[in-house]
Amino acid sequence: MELKSSHVSPVLTEPVPMNKSRLGIHSSLLSYSQQDAASAPAKYTRSGSRKSVGSLDDVRCNGYLDAMKASSPPRKKVVKSCNNNTHLSAFDSDNEDYTSWTLDYPSALHYFENITERAKNKQIAMFLDYDGTLSPIVDDPDAAYMSEPMRATVTSVAKHFPTAIISGRSRDKVFELVKLRELYYAGSHGMDIIGPVSDTLSNNHPDCVKSTDYEGKEISLFQPAKEFLPMIDEVFRTLVDITKHIKGAKVENHKFCVSVHYRNVDENNWITVGQLVHDMLKDYPRLRSTHGRKVLEIRPVIDWNKGKAVEFLLDSLGLTNRDDVLPIYIGDDKTDEDAFKVLRESNRGYGILVSSVRKESNALYSLRDTSEVMKFLQLLVNWKRQQDDDKKQAPFLGIWF
Ligand SMILES: O=P(O)(O)OC[C@H]1O[C@H](O[C@H]2O[C@H](CO)[C@@H](O)[C@H](O)[C@H]2O)[C@H](O)[C@@H](O)[C@@H]1O
């Protein structure tokens, strides 16, 4: 793995020019109301300088708005039929579409035996995203709680397999929500990792230091974007300020990245949110924005992501470059694609996408929602217990594994 041999900082020296991402989408494809223009602040202040906000065409032309609109599947509406019975309007065509999509991304529940066949006599390493994977997507990011049955399930998973949570949230925030000390955590999209102590990594990598965890246990702490802390803090404060007039907008500080939520913003004003973020980033060429589920994520331009975090954790667990290891990554978001890609390209394990709608992905399998995630994890734990019992019984039965 790269980390072992290279001591090069993951910070990219060449910032990505904003204009490189322009897709040339024709502005006539999008509607634009006077009200948008009126509600957009004409200027904002940063470090004493007055900045004029760019043209709203900027966000249209570079595909920002389209990506914002496409960033989360619409909720299914409950409708009343003529006999007054309520039912989900997950129209038949949606279901047909989903079913045909699962031909390319088969259900990890239906293909459970194929997965465990490959896992036999291997060490599974489990990587779990948080929002949309362990807790359902809800309107208020502060209320994205994990259910007690899910917590109990993840606890059992961690008893049987090394398990890590890899989240876009800050490490402290995701720990506050998960509350399990027996896991490893990677917050801020992998830019803040606590993993097992690894002398190889901490001796060889300048961004990896020995520290202590929530229980005072010795761990490795890896923070490749440490130098961005003051910048992220400044950007967080600026974003809070410039979005305060937009009803429903919410800005979260995730230590090494910032989230700007527009889930609760009137759709007519999404373009304003996009434009404000886009304009502010012109002042910060070493930051970029990515799209999550109804959220814009502002993060450092460094060569680091959830996929690199998986590689880092596998390495620190001593599970890299081994044929007897099967990593499984479960996630629902675009940022999880980096992890799926790492596993797919190295033909090392399984990426499982959580989605109830058709999506292009680097994952191999799919699960519909968080309840299917829980079911899959429970099946895996039961399978592992059975394997361990069979191994214990084997000498008495004269069977050799
Ligand atoms: O990597 P993750 O653990 O999946 O975190 C990604 C983002 O999750 C949160 O936002 C998302 O979930 C919220 C609660 O369900 C929802 O309200 C929001 O619309 C989603 O985007 C979190 O608040 C973000 O900061 C994370 O980056």
Side-chain angles (χ1 to χ4, degrees), residues 129-131 136-141 144 166-169 189 252 254 259 261 263 293-295 297 306 332-333 335:
D129 166 55
Y130 184 74
D131 290 280
I137 294 293
V138 291
D139 285 344
D140 178 6
I166 308 212
S167 172
R169 291 180 184 257
H189 298 288
E252 286 180 300
H254 287 311
S259 297
H261 291 275
R263 180 172 294 280
R293 298 182 69 167
K294 302 271 189 280
V295 65
E297 320 256 24
K306 287 185 173 187
D332 72 314
D333 212 342
T335 56

Side-chain angles (χ1 to χ4, degrees), residues 49-85:
S49 67
R50 285 168 81 77
K51 290 257 142 206
S52 62
V53 173
S55 137
L56 288 176
D57 281 341
D58 278 1
V59 280
R60 290 204 194 98
C61 293
N62 70 15
Y64 239 70
L65 187 62
D66 283 346
M68 286 171 84
K69 286 187 173 171
S71 74
S72 199
R75 301 245 172 100
K76 288 181 178 137
K77 287 194 183 110
V78 174
V79 294
K80 284 205 177 202
S81 61
C82 42
N83 59 6
N84 238 8
N85 289 334

Side-chain angles (χ1 to χ4, degrees), residues 282-296:
K282 286 178 184 162
D283 274 354
Y284 296 94
R286 296 179 75 213
L287 299 181
R288 67 186 168 119
S289 78
T290 54
H291 298 264
R293 298 182 69 167
K294 302 271 189 280
V295 65
L296 294 169

Side-chain angles (χ1 to χ4, degrees), residues 386-399 401:
Q386 188 61 54
Q387 290 282 302
D388 292 348
D389 284 352
D390 289 351
K391 272 190 191 146
K392 275 187 220 143
Q393 302 283 328
F396 304 110
L397 300 171
I399 302 167
F401 283 88

Side-chain angles (χ1 to χ4, degrees), residues 328-397:
I328 296 180
Y329 187 105
I330 312 182
D332 72 314
D333 212 342
K334 280 208 189 101
T335 56
D336 299 311
E337 290 297 325
D338 293 316
F340 296 150
K341 200 164 168 216
V342 159
L343 299 187
R344 180 186 273 260
E345 286 178 353
S346 55
N347 192 22
R348 238 187 304 180
Y350 295 124
I352 303 178
L353 175 69
V354 185
S355 180
S356 58
V357 294
R358 170 181 290 277
K359 267 187 199 171
E360 280 311 305
S361 174
N362 284 301
L364 280 177
Y365 290 105
S366 68
L367 289 167
R368 216 177 229 266
D369 51 27
T370 52
S371 67
E372 285 203 358
V373 171
M374 190 162 84
K375 203 164 170 192
F376 175 80
L377 294 176
Q378 286 166 348
L379 282 175
L380 208 58
V381 167
N382 292 342
W383 170 81
K384 176 67 177 150
R385 283 192 186 127
Q386 188 61 54
Q387 290 282 302
D388 292 348
D389 284 352
D390 289 351
K391 272 190 191 146
K392 275 187 220 143
Q393 302 283 328
F396 304 110
L397 300 171

Side-chain angles (χ1 to χ4, degrees), residues 171-172 175 179-185 194-195 211-219:
R171 183 165 49 80
D172 286 347
F175 176 72
K179 296 191 183 87
L180 296 173
R181 294 180 188 277
E182 52 272 58
L183 311 179
Y184 301 110
Y185 289 89
I194 52 171
S211 182
T212 46
D213 72 0
Y214 309 98
E215 286 183 308
K217 201 173 75 201
E218 214 182 32
I219 45 100

